[in-house]
Amino acid sequence: MTIHVTPGSPLPRRFTAGDLRLMLAAGILREDERVELLDGELVEMAAKGFAQDVVKNALVRRLVPLLPEAAYLGIESTLQLGPGLLLEPDLLLAPMSARSATPEGFCTIPGPEILLVIEVAASSLAYDRGRKAALYARHGVREYWVIDAQEREAWVHRGPAEGLYRDPAELSRDSVLRPEAEELAMIMAPLAELG
């Protein structure tokens, strides 16, 4: 890969999913490295802490027995939503039939067909509630939850329009999370019981 630098102010180099695939093939990046590609910017993700694992595992235990057979549950799976956008949500729910592979070999699901994305965060709360929420909204993801792994509070984002979610709701520790999608009506997750 040749990178040309022009005189004056340097411009950031934007990467694509294809570039990332080449970096993986060349050994520049390892498959197990925790990175996301956000609008062409390669971002290193923080390591998951104990509280995040506890909450994520509690969610998985609640979700798995309730999901219909035709549902796809992605757990820290790479999701390509555009040429320069690779995300690794903690949990993702969609119809199995909505999944396909991109030419670069990553999973893709059209944003409006994704039923729910969940991020469990500790140190990245502002990032997940801000930049990532805007990315999911821009791609039409219907519902996006951010759960504070330490405090067991949550922010529920619904109704994406013009790259934003309408009035995200902040839920306290004594609240119960319930997805809006009809296909997930059987799911409920009391925040206080996640861990």
Side-chain angles (χ1 to χ4, degrees):
M1 172 182 349
T2 303
I3 299 175
H4 297 279
V5 179
T6 57
S9 298
L11 297 173
R13 165 72 157 93
R14 297 289 178 195
F15 296 103
T16 66
D19 294 332
L20 192 66
R21 178 55 65 199
L22 292 171
M23 287 182 219
L24 289 166
I28 296 167
L29 291 174
R30 295 182 323 271
E31 288 280 346
D32 63 344
E33 283 191 74
R34 296 187 40 79
V35 296
E36 289 184 317
L37 186 63
L38 306 180
D39 287 334
E41 180 183 345
L42 199 56
V43 177
E44 187 174 11
M45 298 168 56
K48 298 286 182 185
F50 179 76
Q52 291 162 294
D53 279 340
V54 167
V55 171
K56 185 175 57 186
N57 286 319
L59 282 166
V60 169
R61 283 192 310 277
R62 284 189 170 276
L63 294 173
V64 169
L66 301 173
L67 291 177
E69 197 168 309
Y72 168 68
L73 172 61
I75 303 171
E76 293 184 5
S77 300
T78 302
L79 172 70
Q80 184 174 343
L81 286 176
L85 187 57
L86 291 169
L87 298 164
E88 290 200 16
D90 289 318
L91 301 169
L92 177 145
L93 292 160
M96 191 73 76
S97 60
R99 290 182 324 152
S100 63
T102 64
E104 298 84 10
F106 297 108
C107 172
T108 188
I109 303 169
E113 292 191 48
I114 296 172
L115 303 174
L116 175 63
V117 170
I118 304 172
E119 290 286 1
V120 180
S123 60
S124 64
L125 273 171
Y127 179 72
D128 290 336
R129 291 178 52 211
R131 186 171 185 186
K132 281 182 110 172
L135 290 169
Y136 285 123
R138 187 175 83 208
H139 287 276
V141 174
R142 301 186 220 181
E143 188 165 1
Y144 172 57
W145 297 351
V146 178
I147 300 173
D148 182 335
Q150 301 293 339
E151 302 298 326
R152 303 300 196 278
E153 296 171 337
W155 290 263
V156 174
H157 304 76
R158 293 181 174 141
E162 299 176 15
L164 298 171
Y165 284 104
R166 293 178 282 119
D167 304 319
E170 183 175 351
L171 303 178
S172 65
R173 181 184 188 94
D174 61 345
S175 300
V176 176
L177 293 169
R178 289 185 173 88
E180 194 171 61
E182 235 177 83
E183 302 91 328
L184 304 177
M186 74 300 285
I187 294 171
M188 58 178 250
L191 283 165
E193 295 177 18
L194 297 179

